[in-house]
Amino acid sequence: MTVTYFDVFIGRQPIFDRKENIYAYELLHRKDETNAFPNMNPEEATIQLLLNTFLTVGIDEVVGQTKSFINFSEKLLSHDIMNQLNPDYVVIEILEGTEITPAFIQELKKFRNKGFT
């Protein structure tokens, strides 16, 4: 049996409270050690980040008991993957440039009712 190992990169930026304690981490997709967002589709980047964080490394290893702020597009918020995420660990961030419409606001309210921030 051959086991292949590969590097996993996750950008993790701390978010502090007023007393300078870590409140949460913003998680960012990274392709390699250059620590820059690669030129790629934002939905693909978020899905890769979710896979790396929750399945490959483990959310406890990445953020411990804190929350994780993750960027989502409107398209990704309507994806089935959202049903797999725990609102105790995930805070929904809306990608810059997303058009805020009444329909989108209603969609966000559904996530709020499920416990997401």
Side-chain angles (χ1 to χ4, degrees), residues 54 80-86:
F54 288 90
D80 221 20
I81 198 166
M82 296 303 296
N83 295 324
Q84 307 303 314
L85 299 178
N86 184 337

mmCIF file of all heavy atoms in Angstrom, residues 54 80-86:
data_model
loop_
_atom_site.group_PDB
_atom_site.id
_atom_site.type_symbol
_atom_site.label_atom_id
_atom_site.label_comp_id
_atom_site.label_asym_id
_atom_site.label_seq_id
_atom_site.Cartn_x
_atom_site.Cartn_y
_atom_site.Cartn_z
ATOM 1 N N PHE A 54 -12.434 21.118 7.343
ATOM 2 C CA PHE A 54 -13.301 20.188 8.062
ATOM 3 C C PHE A 54 -12.949 18.721 7.842
ATOM 4 O O PHE A 54 -13.119 17.910 8.745
ATOM 5 C CB PHE A 54 -14.764 20.442 7.685
ATOM 6 C CG PHE A 54 -15.295 21.720 8.266
ATOM 7 C CD1 PHE A 54 -15.200 22.908 7.567
ATOM 8 C CD2 PHE A 54 -15.854 21.751 9.527
ATOM 9 C CE1 PHE A 54 -15.664 24.100 8.095
ATOM 10 C CE2 PHE A 54 -16.322 22.928 10.085
ATOM 11 C CZ PHE A 54 -16.226 24.106 9.366
ATOM 12 N N ASP A 80 -25.904 22.678 -1.374
ATOM 13 C CA ASP A 80 -26.195 21.667 -0.352
ATOM 14 C C ASP A 80 -25.137 21.589 0.744
ATOM 15 O O ASP A 80 -25.420 21.153 1.855
ATOM 16 C CB ASP A 80 -26.325 20.310 -1.042
ATOM 17 C CG ASP A 80 -27.454 19.485 -0.480
ATOM 18 O OD1 ASP A 80 -28.349 20.064 0.159
ATOM 19 O OD2 ASP A 80 -27.427 18.256 -0.667
ATOM 20 N N ILE A 81 -23.924 22.037 0.453
ATOM 21 C CA ILE A 81 -22.839 21.953 1.432
ATOM 22 C C ILE A 81 -23.167 22.719 2.707
ATOM 23 O O ILE A 81 -22.698 22.388 3.791
ATOM 24 C CB ILE A 81 -21.507 22.440 0.821
ATOM 25 C CG1 ILE A 81 -20.333 21.963 1.655
ATOM 26 C CG2 ILE A 81 -21.483 23.946 0.667
ATOM 27 C CD1 ILE A 81 -19.004 22.098 0.975
ATOM 28 N N MET A 82 -24.014 23.718 2.602
ATOM 29 C CA MET A 82 -24.373 24.527 3.764
ATOM 30 C C MET A 82 -25.095 23.712 4.832
ATOM 31 O O MET A 82 -25.001 24.018 6.018
ATOM 32 C CB MET A 82 -25.223 25.725 3.340
ATOM 33 C CG MET A 82 -24.515 26.708 2.435
ATOM 34 S SD MET A 82 -22.995 27.388 3.135
ATOM 35 C CE MET A 82 -23.618 28.273 4.555
ATOM 36 N N ASN A 83 -25.791 22.656 4.416
ATOM 37 C CA ASN A 83 -26.494 21.801 5.378
ATOM 38 C C ASN A 83 -25.536 20.978 6.224
ATOM 39 O O ASN A 83 -25.939 20.409 7.235
ATOM 40 C CB ASN A 83 -27.475 20.884 4.655
ATOM 41 C CG ASN A 83 -28.580 21.656 3.994
ATOM 42 O OD1 ASN A 83 -29.049 22.663 4.510
ATOM 43 N ND2 ASN A 83 -28.994 21.209 2.824
ATOM 44 N N GLN A 84 -24.281 20.904 5.826
ATOM 45 C CA GLN A 84 -23.291 20.116 6.545
ATOM 46 C C GLN A 84 -22.513 20.935 7.573
ATOM 47 O O GLN A 84 -21.734 20.379 8.336
ATOM 48 C CB GLN A 84 -22.304 19.483 5.551
ATOM 49 C CG GLN A 84 -22.952 18.684 4.440
ATOM 50 C CD GLN A 84 -23.839 17.573 4.957
ATOM 51 O OE1 GLN A 84 -23.457 16.832 5.854
ATOM 52 N NE2 GLN A 84 -25.030 17.455 4.404
ATOM 53 N N LEU A 85 -22.699 22.241 7.569
ATOM 54 C CA LEU A 85 -21.908 23.114 8.430
ATOM 55 C C LEU A 85 -22.617 23.400 9.752
ATOM 56 O O LEU A 85 -23.829 23.576 9.788
ATOM 57 C CB LEU A 85 -21.600 24.426 7.711
ATOM 58 C CG LEU A 85 -20.802 24.279 6.424
ATOM 59 C CD1 LEU A 85 -20.610 25.644 5.767
ATOM 60 C CD2 LEU A 85 -19.464 23.605 6.676
ATOM 61 N N ASN A 86 -21.842 23.465 10.805
ATOM 62 C CA ASN A 86 -22.357 23.698 12.150
ATOM 63 C C ASN A 86 -22.285 25.189 12.469
ATOM 64 O O ASN A 86 -21.196 25.765 12.486
ATOM 65 C CB ASN A 86 -21.515 22.896 13.144
ATOM 66 C CG ASN A 86 -22.022 22.981 14.552
ATOM 67 O OD1 ASN A 86 -22.723 23.906 14.936
ATOM 68 N ND2 ASN A 86 -21.667 22.000 15.360
#
